[in-house]
């Protein structure tokens, strides 16, 4: 880990002022579970870390009217234990529980979960976010892509590792972002982007911006997350599905289905949603929705199995609500 | 000193054992669990420097240029040593290029990052799964064997032929304490090294050549070692460099490998792949013919799985034709890995046998029982198969392959069998009895986690009529009498033999001192429950402490050695073992879970039943690890290892191993064979036999067989990951 | 089309925010829009959080009830501070990437990976390492009684994770233990003993002082 400056501001405003204009200038430190590893591996070497854990008020979960507001530095463990979340958003509780290490849950924050970098082993070995070889050629399609995207986008073959993002997207959550020019809000769905080069990031977030909170409308949708993981030990999911259904009896008024770990950003399965919208939630519909969810998948040489896993995840997530 | 010789060294009779064979807590357990035990990694010396290596990021490359000037310019960097200089050919990802020694760990890392190396990248071979696609130059013949007449056997109309292909990939040791050393000079030619080693008595000699000082001037210390598994026998490049640079800079130097470096460079287990053809007699259901092509890689030097272990155990198949190839690949070099070659042998043999049983529609247990006479120990295996079958409830849970119901969750059972030598290694021991009654024992041995300290304490306590906690065990220092390296399950047999003899020798001397004060002959005395008693006059006794007052000023020193040509053997070799797995497979996701795992194991006379069982649990869990999770993944394009970390080099967690039952074969065991014959075996009779290796051999095969039984098809290679299970279910199983 | 989207996305990145996403912030925040480089910010006047490092800076750690004043670079992890500066070597360095749990210590009672916490960040928190436990602590004793250890290198990390778990779950089952200790890895294969040990120790710890 290269040497760096460190600051621990008490307000969001101070924190924003402490951040520099380029990614190499500074980084926001929350749980540190990913950032410190990236720095040890020399994948990022920011000259300054700005710790946001001492900023008051960012570590709370609040129900304000019909909106649940989750502070950026709320830990995964806090999220997992929160009764408001468990009652309204079991899909979030389930996703947090999927991070099976208590240590990671105690350290890792919800904003950190959204902003963590992909685990692609080419990226982590220094080949860049797009995993390109010495001549700029993409390494993933001809390489070992067993954990990579079945819905690659552009030149991006990694999968986004966030545990919470698929559930948050299904729940129509929004991130609150502070930057030099004030505050803005962004649907979690729009937080992710496809980098055009190895110098770009995979988030629609500037180097001087900080996620301060996540807000979720508490509008009574039934929701669930199902993760396919090989180990009970802390392990990355192979595919996940988060679903949120507005039901009228057994009839689906509207559905949101989001796949995780299948592409460089959490993937809205609009095909599956279309199958469910207006239909009765039964076994046949669930099967059809699961099939539709993976339609158009373009698996790579070694990850065809993930198409089935994603399908199973959708099926099981929906079945848990039926 | 007059050496008396009136006490027998033979192990006490079954009814007379106080400690031997009981469940005794490990005597260093508290030190380890409380964090007080000091491992090599924990040694901090005044004024100590840290060393870190720059490793090669390419699988195969030539070094064109190295520029260390920027590293050398960093304040606090004391030395930059080029390990492999310009022009060197590097043959695997992770090999050492340069070493930076600096005032702190952080500065050493800064130094490593500041070194500029220019490589000419060369072609690599990192995929050995397809034998036909391996370049000629990387493929070396590994032997041919022929027995009987295979062609005739296969041609017989009485013989059913079954073909299959099987694989077990390269894995690594992943010792939690990485390899490393702290070197400190205490004089111009006097060196102390703390080193994480399985070979306390053997390091000094290896270092002496490199350092050109007398071996006796080098003190090797390893009080605790955080895992070795066969990878820690030598001083290694880092040991020699640490010592040399410590001498040059006149400061202690510590080098511990970073995790990626450890996983890449500090040893691998060779892969094994085989195409197998089996012939089974239609009527007798006996295996009559075996034909196999075996290959694998042990790294850049070639080497792989040995032809001598395939077929494994069923060596008496009458007709055999076997050929083997060693693949030289640009992957981490091999080192001994717990039970070298045997897990591969089992994974390539027991699977083929189970496939034959399934193809013939025979119960797998019946098939193995029916063929045990093709092994070297049919009676042992018959007993162990039947006991294991009871423990896993074979009759209740077995079903023909694939007939496991319609839901996504299916269950299955599988079997494997194994053997190991476990002869005692050479060992010398000193037992001191002091006038104050205290007792210590010294051996230049090491405790890998086996329970070696505890075993030594038990043997001394048993011999002297004391309690294990009254014995101070001193090991882990080359100043003590030499013992062999801990490899191949040789330690417990070796140290228990030498310790027993040393303790008996010491006790004889004590008896000679005590006898006159009691007015009896030394031969009339026994030591029991902390007292010295007369056999002829039961009322006559003296406490241990009082007895020791007769010793005088100098302590008694008892000496023992293994082997001792003047004494009967106390240890032996040759064990069997049977394991059975009960798995649950999610056919929709391909995720395999262990429901129950049974390990039945013999290992001669057991000294400490508690740590012996732990060896079995540990072997099984390491086996579950390579059956379901572990493999070194290499990038076909760059040749790099893609998972040199503990995130993607996957090991099981506490919730991933299911219920494990360890059943030790102890004392006289009688079992009725399927043919009605009563088989009785005294498992204690051969004396002590090592145990570390055998339980790790079978899990790969047993679990693979259980999965095949559950899902109806063979997943051809380990580990049994979801992608491979689903591919096999889709009829696309292969060796990749 | 893809080309265009990418163009838009990078515009957005360059400006930090897009017009559409912009929401007017509170007065205080809206006023604080000065764009400064990292170096300028480093020289920020009093009132702003002080920037320290990259050289050694005073760091005060409260470990096992004792206060330690150290001078550390901000990049020094809590694990390295404990091991290399305080000679508290019970927490082990194994993966150094927040995966294996061998470095587990308690921060205000909660288990964390010391390799992934900066020492400077651990200031003001109550840090407990395995050295805080008396050797006759019920958890240590249970690990020994059930032989939940072999080489012992993962053991202190397991013990600390187990102590934190047991304090919260005195009536735990082996299944609970499997869930509660899924942040630690053992290589020797001691899980059978650990499961039994934690169930037993959790019950014993409930009545015990200093557990």
């Amino acid at each position: 880990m290269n040497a760096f400056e460190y600051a621990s501001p008490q307000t969001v405003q101070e924190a924003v002022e402490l951040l520099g204009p380029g990614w190499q200038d500074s980084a926001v430190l929350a749980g540190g579970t990913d950032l410190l590893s990236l720095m040890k591996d020399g994948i990022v070497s920011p000259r300054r870390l700005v710790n946001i854990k001492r900023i008051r008020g960012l570590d709370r979960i609040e129900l304000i009217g019909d909106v649940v507001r989750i502070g950026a530095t709320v830990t995964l463990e806090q999220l997992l234990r929160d009764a408001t979340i468990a009652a309204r958003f079991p899909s979030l509780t389930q996703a947090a529980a999927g991070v099976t290490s208590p240590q990671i849950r105690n350290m890792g924050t919800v904003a950190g979960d959204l902003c963590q970098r992909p685990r692609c082993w080419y990226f982590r070995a220094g080949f860049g976010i797009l995993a390109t070889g010495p001549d700029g050629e993409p390494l993933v399609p001809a390489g070992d892509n067993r954990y990579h995207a079945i819905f690659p986008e552009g030149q991006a073959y990694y999968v986004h590792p966030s545990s919470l993002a698929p559930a948050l997207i299904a729940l129509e959550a929004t991130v609150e972002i502070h930057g030099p020019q004030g505050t803005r809000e962004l649907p979690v769905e729009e937080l992710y982007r496809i980098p055009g080069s190895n110098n770009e990031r995979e988030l629609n977030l500037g180097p001087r911006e900080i996620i301060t909170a996540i807000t979720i409308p508490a509008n009574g949708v039934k929701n669930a997350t199902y993760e396919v993981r090989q180990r009970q030990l802390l392990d990355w999911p192979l595919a996940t599905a988060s679903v949120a259904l507005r039901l009228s009896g057994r009839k689906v008024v509207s559905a949101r289905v989001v796949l995780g770990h299948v592409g460089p950003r959490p993937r809205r399965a609009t095909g599956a949603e279309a199958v469910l919208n207006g239909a009765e939630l039964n076994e046949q519909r669930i099967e059809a929705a699961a099939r539709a969810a993976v339609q158009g998948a373009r698996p790579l040489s070694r990850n065809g199995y993930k198409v089935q896993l994603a399908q199973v995840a959708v099926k099981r997530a929906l079945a848990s609500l039926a | 000193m007059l050496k008396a010789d009136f006490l027998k060294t033979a192990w006490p009779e079954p009814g007379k054992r106080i400690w031997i064979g009981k469940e005794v807590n490990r005597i260093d357990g508290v030190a380890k669990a409380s964090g007080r035990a000091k491992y090599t990694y924990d040694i901090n010396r005044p004024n100590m420097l840290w060393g870190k290596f720059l490793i090669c990021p390419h699988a195969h490359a030539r070094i064109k240029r190295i520029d260390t000037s920027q590293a050398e310019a960093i304040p606090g960097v004391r030395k930059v040593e080029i390990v492999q200089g310009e022009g060197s050919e590097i043959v695997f990802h992770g090999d050492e290029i340069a070493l930076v020694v600096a005032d702190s760990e952080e500065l050493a890392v800064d130094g490593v990052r500041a070194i500029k190396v220019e490589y000419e990248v060369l072609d690599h071979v990192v995929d050995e799964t397809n034998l036909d696609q391996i370049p000629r130059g990387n493929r070396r013949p590994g032997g041919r064997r022929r027995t009987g007449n295979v062609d005739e056997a296969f041609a017989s109309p009485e013989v059913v032929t079954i073909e299959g292909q099987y694989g077990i990939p390269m894995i690594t040791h992943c010792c939690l304490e990485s390899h490393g050393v702290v070197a400190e000079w205490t004089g111009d030619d006097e060196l102390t090294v703390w080193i994480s080693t399985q070979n306390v008595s053997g390091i000094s000699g290896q270092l002496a050549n490199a350092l050109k000082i007398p071996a006796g001037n080098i003190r090797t210390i390893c009080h605790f070692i955080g895992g070795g598994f066969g990878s820690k026998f030598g001083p290694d490049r880092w040991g020699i460099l640490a010592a040399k640079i410590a001498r040059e800079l006149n400061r202690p130097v510590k080098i511990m490998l970073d995790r990626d470096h450890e996983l890449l460079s500090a040893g691998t287990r060779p892969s094994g792949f085989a195409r197998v053809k089996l012939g089974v007699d239609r009527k007798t259901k006996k295996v009559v013919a075996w034909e196999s092509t075996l290959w694998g890689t042990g790294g850049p030097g070639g080497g792989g799985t040995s032809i001598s272990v395939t077929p494994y155990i069923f060596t008496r198949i009458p007709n055999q034709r076997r050929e083997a190839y060693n693949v030289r690949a640009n992957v981490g070099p091999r080192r001994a890995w717990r039970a070298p070659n045997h897990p591969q042998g089992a994974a390539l043999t027991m699977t083929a046998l189970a496939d034959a049983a399934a193809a013939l529609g025979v119960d797998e247990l019946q098939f193995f029982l029916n063929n045990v006479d093709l092994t070297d120990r049919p009676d042992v295996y018959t007993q162990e198969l039947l006991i294991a079958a009871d423990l896993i409830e074979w009759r209740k849970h077995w079903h023909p392959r694939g007939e496991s119901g319609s839901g996504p969750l299916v269950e299955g059972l599988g079997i494997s069998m194994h053997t190991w030598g476990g002869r005692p290694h050479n060992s010398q021991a000193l037992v001191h009895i002091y006038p104050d009654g205290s007792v210590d024992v010294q051996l230049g041995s090491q405790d890998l986690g086996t329970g070696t300290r505890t075993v030594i304490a038990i043997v001394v306590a048993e011999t002297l009529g004391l309690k294990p906690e009254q014995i101070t065990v001193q090991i882990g220092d080359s100043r003590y009498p030499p013992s062999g390296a801990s490899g191949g399950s040789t330690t417990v047999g070796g140290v228990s033999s030498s310790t027993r003899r040393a303790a008996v020798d010491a006790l004889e001397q004590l008896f000679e001192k005590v006898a006159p004060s009691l007015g009896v002959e030394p031969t009339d005395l026994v030591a029991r429950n902390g007292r010295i008693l007369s056999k002829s006059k039961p009322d006559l006794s003296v406490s241990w402490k009082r007895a020791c007052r007769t010793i005088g000023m100098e302590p008694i020193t008892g000496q023992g050695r293994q082997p001792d040509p003047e004494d009967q053997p106390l240890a032996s070799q040759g064990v069997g073992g049977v394991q059975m797995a009960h798995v649950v497979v999610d056919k929709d996701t391909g995720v395999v879970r262990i429901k129950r795992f049974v390990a039945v194991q013999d290992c001669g006379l057991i000294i400490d039943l508690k740590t012996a069982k732990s060896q079995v649990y540990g072997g099984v869990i390491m086996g579950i690890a390579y059956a379901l999770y572990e493999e070194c993944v290499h990038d076909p394009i760059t040749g790099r290892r893609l998972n040199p970390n503990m995130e993607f080099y996957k090991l099981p967690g506490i919730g991933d191993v299911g219920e494990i039952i360890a059943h030790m074969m102890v004392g006289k065991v009688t079992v009725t064979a399927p043919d009605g014959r009563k088989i009785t075996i005294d498992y204690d009779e051969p004396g002590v036999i090592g145990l570390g290796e055998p339980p790790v051999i079978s899990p790969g095969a047993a679990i693979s067989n259980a999965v095949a039984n559950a899902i109806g098809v063979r997943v051809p290679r380990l580990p049994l990951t979801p992608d491979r299970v689903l591919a096999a279910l889709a009829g696309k199983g292969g060796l990749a | 089309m893809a080309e265009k989207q990418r163009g838009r996305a990078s515009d957005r990145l360059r400006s930090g925010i897009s017009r559409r996403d912009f929401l007017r912030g509170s007065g205080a925040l809206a006023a604080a829009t000065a764009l400064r480089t990292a170096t300028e910010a480093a020289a920020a006047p009093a009132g702003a959080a002080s920037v320290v490092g990259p050289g050694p800076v005073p760091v005060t750690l409260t470990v096992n009830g004792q206060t330690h004043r150290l001078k550390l670079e901000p990049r020094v992890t809590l694990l390295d501070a404990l091991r290399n500066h305080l000679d508290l070597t019970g927490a082990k360095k194994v993966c150094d990437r927040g995966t294996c749990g061998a470095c587990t210590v308690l921060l205000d009672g909660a288990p964390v990976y010391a390799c992934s916490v900066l020492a400077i960040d651990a200031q003001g928190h109550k840090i407990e390492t395995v050295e805080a436990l008396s050797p006759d602590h019920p958890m240590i004793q249970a690990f020994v009684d059930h032989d939940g250890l072999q080489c012992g290198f993962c053991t202190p990390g397991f013990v600390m994770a187990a102590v934190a778990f047991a304090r919260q779950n005195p009536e735990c089952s082996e299944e609970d233990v499997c869930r509660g200790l899924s942040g630690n890895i053992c290589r020797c294969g001691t899980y059978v003993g650990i499961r039994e040990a934690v169930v037993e120790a959790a019950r014993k710890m409930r009545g015990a002082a200093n557990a």
Side-chain angles (χ1 to χ4, degrees), chain B residues 167-247:
Chain B
I168 174 167
M170 194 182 107
I171 63 170
T172 178
H173 303 72
C174 197
C175 307
L176 292 198
E177 181 185 32
S178 58
H179 284 61
V181 60
V182 177
E184 177 172 324
W185 291 80
T186 48
D188 285 347
D189 62 353
E190 276 184 21
L191 172 69
T192 298
V193 288
W194 290 263
I195 180 166
S196 187
T197 187
Q198 303 175 234
N199 192 7
V200 165
S201 293
I203 292 293
S204 302
Q206 295 180 72
L207 272 175
N209 290 329
L211 301 172
K212 306 208 166 36
I213 59 168
N217 291 13
I218 302 173
R219 182 178 178 193
T220 301
I221 301 174
C222 178
H223 290 136
F224 296 94
I225 170 177
F229 312 113
S231 67
K232 290 179 176 169
F233 292 119
D236 284 314
R237 198 178 252 161
W238 35 89
I240 293 165
L241 283 167
K244 282 185 170 170
I245 294 171
R247 175 159 61 184

Side-chain angles (χ1 to χ4, degrees), chain A residues 29-57:
Chain A
L29 172 68
T33 56
D34 186 27
L35 181 60
L36 296 193
S37 290
L38 287 161
M39 292 169 69
K40 288 174 187 175
D41 287 331
I43 303 304
V44 299
S45 296
R47 287 192 284 269
R48 175 185 294 173
L49 292 194
V50 178
N51 173 33
I52 60 165
K53 289 188 296 296
R54 310 235 168 192
I55 298 175
R56 270 180 285 274

Side-chain angles (χ1 to χ4, degrees), chain B residues 25-26 32 36 38-39 41-42 44 105 110 172-173 259 610 614-615 618 630 646 651-652 654 658, chain C residues 75 83-84 87 89 92-94 99 130-131 133 145 147 149-153 187-189 191 195:
Chain B
N25 281 356
R26 61 179 72 225
K32 288 179 175 181
R36 270 67 162 182
K38 290 283 181 187
Y39 296 73
Y41 214 139
D42 303 332
N44 291 322
E105 204 172 353
D110 288 346
T172 178
H173 303 72
R259 182 53 44 186
K610 186 174 276 193
S614 286
Q615 282 299 296
E630 270 180 88
M646 293 181 71
L651 297 171
I654 192 166
Chain C
R75 65 170 157 171
R83 293 181 51 83
N84 298 346
D87 203 32
T89 56
K92 306 298 183 200
K93 188 184 267 197
V94 173
T99 305
V130 72
E131 285 88 353
L133 305 184
D145 288 343
D147 211 31
L149 74 161
Q150 287 190 32
C151 84
F153 211 68
R187 182 51 158 159
C188 298
Y191 296 140
R195 289 193 296 226

Side-chain angles (χ1 to χ4, degrees), chain B residues 83-107:
Chain B
V83 181
Q84 299 190 80
E86 290 172 4
S88 300
E89 183 185 346
I90 310 297
V91 292
F92 67 96
H93 173 202
D95 202 5
E96 297 88 27
I97 307 296
L99 172 69
V100 175
V101 176
D103 288 350
S104 72
E105 204 172 353
E106 291 83 12
L107 284 169

Side-chain angles (χ1 to χ4, degrees), chain B residues 578-631:
Chain B
V578 166
Q579 298 186 352
M580 296 188 186
H582 184 170
V583 302
V584 183
V585 186
D586 184 333
K587 275 165 93 170
D588 286 351
T589 64
V591 173
V592 178
R593 299 214 151 273
I594 307 296
K595 187 167 185 178
R596 181 185 279 178
F597 197 100
V598 168
V600 176
Q601 186 64 50
D602 62 276
C603 65
L605 175 70
I606 291 171
I607 304 288
D608 180 11
L609 186 58
K610 186 174 276 193
T611 51
K613 275 186 179 167
S614 286
Q615 282 299 296
V616 177
Y617 292 134
V620 167
I621 289 169
M622 277 187 105
I624 290 170
Y626 73 74
L628 297 183
Y629 307 111
E630 270 180 88
E631 63 185 310

